[in-house]
Amino acid sequence: MSFDIFRLVRLAFAGAVAGFFIFLIFNPAIAREEAVGREFFFEGDMAAQLMNALVSAFVHMLVLSGAFSVMLGGMLVLADEYNSAPKRVAIRMGIVCASGAFAGAIAGVVAQFLYIVINLLTLGLGQIAARGIGWAAMGAGAGVCVGYVLGGWKRARMSTLGGFIGGLGGGLVFDAVAWVSHGGSASRFVGFILIGLLTGAAVALVEDLTKQSWVTVLSGPKEGRSFILTKPITTIGRNEMADIPLFADPNVAKDHARLLLQGPDVMVQSASNTTVSVNGAQTQYAQLQPWDVIGVGRWSLRFHQKASRQQMAYIAQPLPDLTSAQYKPTYSPVNRTVSVPAAAVVTGQLALVAVSGPHMNQRFGFGPGTVRIGRETGCGILLAQDTVVSRNHAEVAWNTTSWTIRDLQSRNGLWVNGVRVTEHVLAVGDQIGVGQSWLRVEQL
């Protein structure tokens, strides 16, 4: 499956920065308390002193967790919206910070309660576990707000789990860091940064592992960025608050199109006065299949689903009888892949037929040798009208027994039968995806 390592690094770094700022804000007060020391139960009403100590501990965690959630949530949204319009970033950060303060405060109270209960039940021996579970609650409090703002309740569940895992991991190593550094400011410095880093990384990791459907931008300023589809309706357009914002193109309306989640299916629907394209064909409403390319103005987005969804979408096609003189292949202008083994190419004569995209129905035939696919003049398979294809995207080579296709470090990758590859031995019936185009393999 596709995994956005760049996003994981961004969110991990943002979490670490949030932990650093939390350290700067809270460490001076904690250090002063450590220097002065807390003395309880020496004289007076012991019950009152115990109550005061408990109230102080709960208030401290409420404030710390609330601030941690605000800082972490704000930094994660900033990292996720790093190339969005300032107004959009400001609004989303404001929402996540406001909700994060509330959720974080509740998480802090829960964290302190769990910490006290576990310590009492284990007579202090379970302090490491208690701290880990307490910080896990705080991480979950930050994660739920980020997920909801970015993608609704379904994504909130995903990011809550990520925040819980990250907080748990950071909390469990906090005491280990304190033991190595002999406690004090050094342990808090490393601990807060590590908790933020692990929480940010875990949010990104869990969302990637649990996502079902998503689209990836193939061209434009947001090239390579993925948008996870978790809401019943995902909006696309020039509107600053659209779920998938596409700016700098006058051909894109403010509310241009929507992606509709209908059970396992995803539909694309354009607004009443606009159109979108799917694999180069204009449409106002269509069901998407994995690897379809959605065109919105000058923007191109590739639709993805997990393997289990892809298998449901494949349409079985009968294997052509290549020995028959009457064989005349026909092609559908939509992306489909065969679900049965195709006959191997056994001669040095090969043809690629564009079955979708700007060059649909164009046929490229060639003999033994090496042929390049791309937009640059001189390519044997010239796809000049497909702006998503790299200048030198891939090459097809004959090695005396078979044809092999190789990716030439293209911008948007090489796909064969819906799977991204760097090299693949071709067979008749294979479908090659480059840019917005799909090329079907046929013998001459």
Side-chain angles (χ1 to χ4, degrees):
M1 63 170 290
S2 173
F3 184 78
D4 193 344
I5 186 66
F6 182 49
R7 180 171 182 264
L8 185 148
V9 173
R10 286 202 320 269
L11 266 60
F13 178 76
V17 172
F20 174 71
F21 280 114
I22 289 296
F23 169 80
L24 291 181
I25 295 170
F26 285 91
N27 185 67
I30 298 174
R32 283 196 301 270
E33 288 183 359
E34 286 182 344
V36 173
R38 291 184 176 180
E39 297 182 357
F40 301 109
F41 318 121
F42 289 99
E43 60 181 13
D45 189 341
M46 295 176 60
Q49 291 190 55
L50 177 60
M51 181 59 66
N52 288 336
L54 286 174
V55 171
S56 176
F58 273 101
V59 171
H60 174 79
M61 281 300 297
L62 182 149
V63 175
L64 175 61
S65 181
F68 175 79
S69 183
V70 168
M71 187 65 67
L72 180 60
M75 289 302 300
L76 293 185
V77 169
L78 182 62
D80 217 40
E81 298 282 351
Y82 70 99
N83 60 354
S84 296
K87 180 180 177 181
R88 174 188 176 90
V89 175
I91 291 175
R92 292 202 160 192
M93 285 187 68
I95 295 173
V96 80
C97 288
S99 57
F102 177 74
I106 294 176
V109 173
V110 173
Q112 186 62 39
F113 175 78
L114 293 174
Y115 180 81
I116 292 173
V117 170
I118 294 174
N119 268 315
L120 288 175
L121 292 176
T122 61
L123 300 178
L125 299 177
Q127 180 171 325
I128 295 178
R131 196 185 306 278
I133 293 175
W135 274 101
M138 293 171 59
V144 65
C145 302
V146 175
Y148 180 74
V149 170
L150 295 179
W153 286 115
K154 183 176 180 180
R155 189 163 178 183
R157 293 194 296 270
M158 296 157 60
S159 58
T160 299
L161 177 59
F164 182 90
I165 294 172
L168 178 64
L172 289 177
V173 301
F174 190 93
D175 284 284
V177 173
W179 181 78
V180 172
S181 62
H182 305 292
S185 296
S187 66
R188 286 189 292 274
F189 176 78
V190 176
F192 285 152
I193 290 179
L194 189 59
I195 289 168
L197 184 150
L198 291 177
T199 302
V203 167
L205 182 62
V206 169
E207 287 188 345
D208 255 316
L209 292 176
T210 57
K211 66 186 179 184
Q212 294 294 330
S213 304
W214 67 100
V215 295
T216 301
V217 180
L218 298 180
S219 60
K222 297 179 185 291
E223 180 182 323
R225 181 175 176 184
S226 294
F227 295 87
I228 302 173
L229 307 181
T230 54
K231 300 168 67 174
I233 299 176
T234 299
T235 57
I236 305 174
R238 210 157 27 93
N239 190 323
E240 291 178 334
M241 298 310 296
D243 297 310
I244 304 177
L246 304 177
F247 303 125
D249 185 352
N251 295 318
V252 177
K254 284 198 170 184
D255 299 298
H256 196 103
R258 304 185 300 172
L259 297 176
L260 312 177
L261 283 181
Q262 299 180 356
D265 300 325
V266 178
M267 320 297 291
V268 60
Q269 180 183 50
S270 65
S272 58
N273 58 340
T274 64
T275 59
V276 296
S277 66
V278 177
N279 299 325
Q282 296 292 318
T283 183
Q284 286 193 318
Y285 186 82
Q287 180 176 338
L288 296 174
Q289 305 293 348
W291 322 111
D292 280 351
V293 175
I294 308 166
V296 181
R298 294 198 300 265
W299 294 78
S300 297
L301 305 94
R302 192 184 296 281
F303 173 67
H304 301 269
Q305 281 184 321
K306 279 195 171 178
S308 58
R309 302 297 189 199
Q310 296 167 20
Q311 292 168 0
M312 295 169 56
Y314 289 168
I315 296 180
Q317 298 178 358
L319 188 66
D321 181 9
L322 299 177
T323 62
S324 172
Q326 304 299 319
Y327 170 61
K328 294 182 179 181
T330 58
Y331 305 99
S332 169
V334 292
N335 172 26
R336 296 291 185 270
T337 60
V338 294
S339 60
V340 294
V345 176
V346 293
T347 73
Q349 304 297 318
L350 188 69
L352 298 181
V353 179
V355 295
S356 70
H359 294 270
M360 190 170 71
N361 296 327
Q362 191 169 344
R363 184 184 182 91
F364 305 91
F366 42 89
T370 300
V371 182
R372 288 204 169 188
I373 304 173
R375 286 190 296 113
E376 190 172 76
T377 303
C379 288
I381 302 174
L382 181 61
L383 304 177
Q385 297 178 36
D386 191 334
T387 57
V388 183
V389 170
S390 298
R391 293 182 180 277
N392 290 282
H393 199 108
E395 68 177 14
V396 182
W398 172 253
N399 63 3
T400 71
T401 59
S402 63
W403 286 96
T404 300
I405 188 167
R406 298 182 184 87
D407 187 8
L408 299 177
Q409 298 182 334
S410 59
R411 185 176 56 182
N412 292 305
L414 172 68
W415 308 79
V416 177
N417 299 332
V419 177
R420 187 166 184 168
V421 300
T422 56
E423 185 172 320
H424 181 82
V425 177
L426 293 174
V428 169
D430 281 350
Q431 290 199 23
I432 303 168
V434 289
Q436 300 180 80
S437 302
W438 285 90
L439 309 171
R440 185 177 176 88
V441 178
E442 181 194 349
Q443 281 187 194
L444 283 176

